[in-house]
Amino acid sequence: MNLKEITTPDLFYFDLKADNKEAVLDFLIHELSEKGYLKDEGEFKKAVYEREAHSATGMEKGFAIPHGKSTAVKEAAFAVAKLQKPLAQGAWPSVDPTNEVELVFLLAIPDAEAGSTHLKVLAELSGRLMDDAFLKGLFAAKNAEELYAALDNQEKEEVATQDSPYAGKTVLAVTACAAGIAHTYMAAEALEKAGRELGIHVEVEKQGASGIEDRHQKKAISQADGVLFAVDTKVKEKDRFNGKPYVSTKVAEPLKYAKELLIQTLEKPSGVVQEGDGQETSENTGKAEKKGWRKVGSDVTSAIMTGISYMIPLIVAAGLMMGIAELVWVYVLNLDPGIIGDVKNQTAGGAQQFFYFVNAFGSMLFKFIYPIFGMFVSYAIADRVGLVAGFAGGLFAGGLHYTFWGIEGGIPSGFLGALFLGLVAGYVSKFLNEKIKLSKNLSAMKPMLLVPGISVFVIFILNMYFVDPVFGALNQWLSDWITSMSTSGTLVLSAIIAAATAFDLGGPINKAAGGVAIGLAADHIFPLTSRVLAIVIPPLGVGLATIVDRFIVGRRVFPQDLRVAGGTSFLLGFLAISEGAIPFMLRNPLITVPINIIGAVVGSCTAVALGAVQWLPLPAIWGWPLVQGIGAYLIGLVVGVLIIALANIFVRLAIIKKKERNGEKINY
């Protein structure tokens, strides 16, 4: 296949001066735009950077293959840059951490060209880059013209098969990445090459942007000794492989460990593909119907994880803005932290005005936590057509409609509403996208008008007549119940306020508890001790758990993304920003919410029983010296934090061990 079909000599750049990944990408994107391949440079740039955030596009041996799939691309093409000086290790996140990127291929892929010749050529390029002889020819080029000419080099480096204990064995593989282009074909090429070296017959099915290519047939499946799933997406028609030993890994892993994975598939598989493991089935049989609920459960779990992964950076950014502002406000400007949100600061001038707006900006970002979460929960189910409806559902869950509509006293549905509406948005959008059929001339109306328009209207109706009334009534009942307990005993009321505060980490129940507690404190009826402790105990507790788990039980019990969120949560806890712990609550609510409540109640009641008293609404670390009985306060704080940290560690460890006994591979 001729790679020159979708590129031109003027898209090849030699001795490009660049010190970082962003400079290279921005240059190549701009050049593609200047040469007329893009309709919207900014939109394509966004697609490329979104793909960069998903997983590493740096590979090994000095090259990277970033790519973007977008409606902003008029015509498929790729641009190439040979850098004057290789980037430092780590400057371009790579499959091989020691990779020093020197040769960059940027692929521009039209969103609507699945199955086209252009995509097949791009797939060919991805696979060809795993061929050492082809790469050697590219790096030997002395100018842009020679670099372009080297595309014709189709020599394949064949490896003489030595005597091997695996000779005669057959492994079937399935590769699939999020974009369906580069990693899909590069992983396939790496596995085929490793198979030749080991004497293993390897056949690879690519589930990419062009659909299923090189589909494994029944005879090949029946004769195979094992199956290797190297995927970042759901495996299509996985039920075909029922009864076969398998290994499942990320699509980038064969680029580093192809031989090891093939050997593992033959010698130490993760398990056997079971009835009900299927992701998508091609036959509408009764047997497939019975698997539906398991499939839905898997989809929901994946959607929640996707939503959390996109939400975490927003939580971190918002928390840092507020934390920096509050620290400067208290320790540099020596101002009362209680007035940082006073609107009078808008015209105060100088640093006071500046950090008022920094704090206000962070607070504003926090209001979009649920819209971002809902948007990407929906995206995980329906892809791009679900983004708008998911975002709308998150707006409702965060209560922003009450703000814009001028409705006072409205109680938002919070994290449960965001999860529910995000899932509904995803399934409704997916249904509409699959069922609406239009002629080719009108096809653009479906993703741009019909799917978002109808799905958003469904979310609006559902929220107005179900989510807001049901969750609003529940939250109002809890608020009234808390208020009715205001004349009860000290420890009982402390426990109730602490439990409600820790329940949803800044959500409506938390705010209801805050309203009651602050009202009682304002009238000097009941201090805020349990309230302020319950704000900081959960984020500190879950954050500490991610830091010390391996020291307590000898292994990690949290995945990488939650470990990152945990460090942030721990720091934000000292600033009384409990929202840092929301990712844990959304990922595992049945674990996190009860543990948060227990830790907050026990810690708060311990402090109150020992004599700690806090009348001021200052839960952050700078408010601690103002507590009467600071020793008792800190004892209660430590008790609550340790309960949450240790309970999270041991409960999650027990779940992991149970999964491992059932044959699941957990690699944290």
Side-chain angles (χ1 to χ4, degrees):
M1 188 172 290
N2 186 5
L3 295 178
K4 294 180 179 179
E5 289 181 21
I6 57 169
T7 191
T8 56
D10 59 356
L11 285 176
F12 281 64
Y13 305 93
F14 202 81
D15 279 349
L16 177 66
K17 294 182 180 179
D19 296 325
N20 53 62
K21 177 181 77 170
E22 290 73 18
V24 180
L25 289 176
D26 291 351
F27 174 82
L28 291 177
I29 291 169
H30 180 69
E31 291 303 312
L32 282 168
S33 180
E34 287 292 303
K35 302 299 189 300
Y37 290 96
L38 306 179
K39 290 184 278 189
D40 186 327
E41 181 177 338
E43 191 65 26
F44 178 65
K45 181 177 179 179
K46 180 180 177 183
V48 171
Y49 277 90
E50 283 178 356
R51 178 60 189 82
E52 289 297 306
H54 185 271
S55 62
T57 57
M59 298 301 160
E60 57 180 352
K61 302 175 183 177
F63 79 94
I65 184 165
H67 44 285
K69 184 180 177 184
S70 171
T71 55
V73 180
K74 293 184 196 176
E75 181 183 349
F78 66 89
V80 183
K82 174 74 161 52
L83 307 187
Q84 188 178 76
K85 181 181 178 182
L87 299 181
Q89 292 182 12
W92 196 306
S94 301
V95 171
D96 177 3
T98 65
N99 191 32
E100 298 179 356
V101 171
E102 184 179 0
L103 185 62
V104 180
F105 290 78
L106 174 62
L107 282 59
I109 308 160
D111 203 26
E113 282 208 10
S116 71
T117 301
H118 286 153
L119 282 186
K120 292 177 181 177
V121 175
L122 292 174
E124 174 76 9
L125 171 63
S126 301
R128 197 90 68 81
L129 286 170
M130 296 306 296
D131 178 20
D132 288 340
F134 180 69
L135 264 182
K136 184 178 180 181
L138 293 173
F139 278 107
K142 298 178 180 179
N143 52 52
E145 290 75 19
E146 290 186 12
L147 191 60
Y148 178 74
L151 292 178
D152 289 331
N153 180 8
Q154 298 188 48
E155 292 182 16
K156 199 102 172 171
E157 186 177 280
E158 294 294 336
V159 180
T161 303
Q162 306 295 325
D163 290 339
S164 166
Y166 309 106
K169 297 289 186 180
T170 297
V171 172
L172 302 184
V174 176
T175 60
C177 67
I181 300 294
H183 287 69
T184 300
Y185 297 93
M186 297 173 80
E189 183 71 21
L191 289 170
E192 290 171 352
K193 179 181 177 182
R196 291 193 296 270
E197 294 178 3
L198 292 170
I200 301 172
H201 178 63
V202 177
E203 296 181 17
V204 185
E205 174 179 299
K206 279 78 72 175
Q207 297 186 358
S210 299
I212 297 180
E213 299 179 54
D214 302 319
R215 179 190 292 271
H216 295 310
Q217 302 301 318
K218 286 184 178 180
K219 182 178 179 180
I221 294 172
S222 66
Q223 296 176 349
D225 297 293
V227 183
L228 173 60
F229 300 113
V231 298
D232 283 345
T233 62
K234 295 177 290 188
V235 178
K236 297 176 182 177
E237 303 176 25
K238 190 176 181 182
D239 293 337
R240 293 174 291 158
F241 305 100
N242 284 347
K244 286 294 176 182
Y246 78 96
V247 168
S248 184
T249 188
K250 296 291 186 182
V251 71
E253 292 302 291
L255 305 184
K256 297 182 289 184
Y257 308 115
K259 290 183 181 179
E260 292 84 348
L261 288 168
L262 291 173
I263 293 171
Q264 182 186 349
T265 303
L266 294 172
E267 293 188 346
K268 296 180 180 179
S270 303
V272 175
V273 180
Q274 299 288 342
E275 197 79 15
D277 284 344
Q279 301 291 338
E280 295 181 16
T281 57
S282 57
E283 300 176 0
N284 188 18
T285 64
K287 189 176 289 187
E289 289 295 321
K290 293 179 181 179
K291 302 166 191 171
W293 287 111
R294 294 184 182 180
K295 177 181 182 299
V296 170
S298 175
D299 288 349
V300 168
T301 300
S302 177
I304 293 172
M305 292 174 65
T306 300
I308 290 171
S309 68
Y310 281 97
M311 182 183 67
I312 286 174
L314 182 63
I315 290 177
V316 173
L320 286 174
M321 292 298 100
M322 295 180 69
I324 291 170
E326 292 185 20
L327 287 170
V328 173
W329 192 270
V330 174
Y331 293 111
V332 178
L333 302 180
N334 295 314
L335 294 172
D336 180 0
I339 66 167
I340 191 172
D342 194 322
V343 294
K344 294 179 180 178
N345 294 313
Q346 292 180 3
T347 56
Q352 185 172 336
Q353 178 179 328
F354 176 78
F355 284 102
Y356 161 82
F357 280 111
V358 172
N359 179 72
F361 176 60
S363 180
M364 181 187 73
L365 288 179
F366 265 125
K367 295 184 183 300
F368 287 89
I369 289 173
Y370 291 132
I372 294 297
F373 175 73
M375 179 167 68
F376 284 102
V377 165
S378 180
Y379 169 80
I381 295 169
D383 210 273
R384 293 190 180 188
V385 294
L387 288 171
V388 175
F391 184 75
L395 289 175
F396 284 130
L400 290 173
H401 57 308
Y402 294 130
T403 301
F404 289 119
W405 296 346
I407 298 175
E408 296 184 4
I411 301 178
S413 54
F415 78 94
L416 291 175
L419 177 57
F420 179 78
L421 290 172
L423 291 171
V424 171
Y427 282 112
V428 169
S429 299
K430 182 179 181 181
F431 174 82
L432 293 172
N433 194 44
E434 291 175 349
K435 299 302 180 183
I436 295 175
K437 305 296 183 183
L438 298 175
S439 67
K440 183 177 180 180
N441 293 334
L442 299 176
S443 60
M445 288 181 61
K446 183 168 69 172
M448 298 298 292
L449 174 63
L450 296 178
V451 174
I454 296 172
S455 58
V456 166
F457 187 67
V458 169
I459 292 299
F460 171 77
I461 296 295
L462 185 63
N463 184 75
M464 176 168 283
Y465 294 106
F466 176 72
V467 175
D468 268 355
V470 171
F471 286 105
L474 175 62
N475 294 337
Q476 188 63 56
W477 175 79
L478 288 170
S479 177
D480 294 341
W481 179 62
I482 292 169
T483 304
S484 69
M485 298 296 291
S486 61
T487 57
S488 301
T490 299
L491 289 180
V492 174
L493 184 56
S494 295
I496 293 169
I497 291 174
T501 299
F503 175 75
D504 55 357
L505 303 174
I509 307 304
N510 176 294
K511 288 180 171 59
V516 172
I518 291 173
L520 293 173
D523 294 334
H524 220 72
I525 296 173
F526 195 82
L528 286 165
T529 316
S530 60
R531 165 72 178 173
V532 296
L533 275 166
I535 289 173
V536 300
I537 285 175
L540 289 174
V542 295
L544 181 64
T546 65
I547 297 170
V548 303
D549 57 349
R550 68 183 188 277
F551 303 111
I552 301 295
V553 296
R555 65 180 295 177
R556 291 288 196 183
V557 299
F558 293 91
Q560 176 62 32
D561 61 332
L562 286 188
R563 293 205 296 271
V564 173
T568 302
S569 177
F570 189 69
L571 293 175
L572 294 181
F574 287 102
L575 303 177
I577 300 173
S578 58
E579 285 86 349
I582 286 178
F584 298 85
M585 180 175 66
L586 289 169
R587 177 74 63 84
N588 304 104
L590 296 180
I591 297 175
T592 307
V593 174
I595 291 176
N596 282 350
I597 291 174
I598 292 169
V601 168
V602 174
S604 298
C605 288
T606 298
V608 170
L610 293 175
V613 178
Q614 168 67 301
W615 288 100
L616 299 174
L618 298 175
I621 189 170
W622 49 78
W624 297 357
L626 303 177
V627 177
Q628 300 171 29
I630 183 62
Y633 182 93
L634 293 177
I635 290 173
L637 176 69
V638 171
V639 167
V641 168
L642 288 178
I643 287 174
I644 291 176
L646 295 176
N648 267 285
I649 291 170
F650 286 111
V651 169
R652 291 170 187 273
L653 178 65
I655 293 173
I656 289 172
K657 287 185 174 180
K658 181 179 179 180
K659 289 182 177 180
E660 290 176 337
R661 287 196 297 270
N662 292 334
E664 295 184 47
K665 184 179 180 181
I666 307 295
N667 185 20
Y668 290 162

